Amino acid sequence: MEINGKTRTCGLIGDPVEHTLSPVIHNTLAASLGQELVYVPFHVKQGKLAEAVRGAEALNILGLNVTVPYKSEVIACLTEIDELARNIGAVNTLVRTASGYKGYNTDMEGLYRAMQSEGIKIAGEEIILLGAGGAARAVAWLCTMRGARRVYLLNRTLDKAQTVAAEVNASAGREAVQPMRLADYAQIPKGKYLAIQGTSVGLSPNNEDVVIADDAFYEKVHTGFDLIYNPWETKFMRLVKAHGSRAYNGLKMLLYQGIIAYELWNGVEVSEDEAQMVYKRLKDVIT
Ligand code: NAP
């Protein structure tokens, strides 16, 4: 693409940002849709976030994605926040407005679109969610808002699971999320569950790590969804498949959270054909 006086800039702020795949998503979309836009990573060191957002506003940057460790901290830098992002307590997308930036959370809807595209149902389901960090928090909201019957929320640190459960249950007006200690997984009642792996265990280069290795756990899983996409197939996914069930990685979640951000920045709708084209590019980059 030729950069000219009308080219708009979007980007990612985080620490670190070197491993991001987001430039692949946005620059591929801009090229394919013929839009004058470039997307670049910005490494923002800790303590510099507010300055970075003010600087972005002064430079008239159209939009930003926000990654670890700033998804909560960035809320204090916004002039407006979408209600869903406020409820989740995490923002991963900033959209330029006349007065500053409005914050959104596209991770949650991104995961929903990813699940829909794989034919995975949430409404009426019994779900096991492993982890209670930033990503798992959004998953707990998604599952509850989309009508999961029950979510067993398991975390190594129990009080984090309890905090997330209390917030989601209060907002939903029902006791949908049950917090548990990770080590107590054997207490989950007999049944078949959708299991969502939302911890950072198993992330490359620790490809052989898995948050639960016990066969008895995997016998309860009818579908496994790992938010990790690097490696392509995590140990969690391998264990799910070894017990005869389907397993998916988090690449489509990454894809769709990016597509929703792109749509917000540019006021366009990205077609499913375009989405599949970007997915293929992403897959080529990581495999
Ligand atoms: P985070 O906020 O740092 O949370 C990490 C989670 O992992 C916590 O629940 C933590 O438990 C748990 N954990 C870490 N080490 C553990 C261990 N040794 N044993 C048991 N539990 C452990 O991270 P995050 O932002 O939620 O991200 C979590 C994962 O999701 C990452 O792998 C990330 O790559 C992935 N992700 C994917 C997408 C996507 O688009 N596909 C988007 C966002 C995140 P404690 O609370 O006990 O520390």
Side-chain angles (χ1 to χ4, degrees), residues 67-68 71 107 130-137 154-158 160-161 182 197-203 210-211 225-229 249-255 257:
T67 189
V68 175
K71 288 187 184 182
D107 281 333
L130 304 173
R137 196 184 179 85
L154 279 67
N155 198 45
R156 178 178 59 178
T157 312
L158 180 62
K160 276 207 226 163
L182 184 63
Q197 200 304 104
T199 77
S200 43
V201 181
L203 192 58
V210 64
V211 68
F225 196 107
D226 202 326
L227 301 194
I228 293 174
Y229 49 81
N249 68 27
L251 192 66
K252 282 201 175 166
M253 174 180 174
L254 179 83
L255 168 77
Q257 65 73 32

Side-chain angles (χ1 to χ4, degrees), residues 79-137:
T79 47
E80 259 183 278
I81 183 165
D82 177 65
E83 199 187 330
L84 178 64
R86 185 200 305 280
N87 284 337
I88 297 171
V91 160
N92 77 322
T93 301
L94 309 190
V95 180
R96 187 83 164 89
T97 65
S99 59
Y101 286 100
K102 179 170 180 180
Y104 294 84
N105 184 306
T106 71
D107 281 333
M108 197 189 104
E109 198 56 26
L111 176 60
Y112 185 61
R113 283 203 208 172
M115 287 186 158
Q116 277 189 314
S117 87
E118 305 291 11
I120 301 172
K121 206 171 123 255
I122 293 179
E125 283 290 307
E126 297 226 292
I127 296 174
I128 298 171
L129 172 55
L130 304 173
R137 196 184 179 85

Side-chain angles (χ1 to χ4, degrees), residues 38-49:
V38 287
Y39 183 101
V40 286
F42 297 110
H43 185 184
V44 176
K45 296 244 172 79
Q46 311 229 1
K48 296 278 184 189
L49 178 65

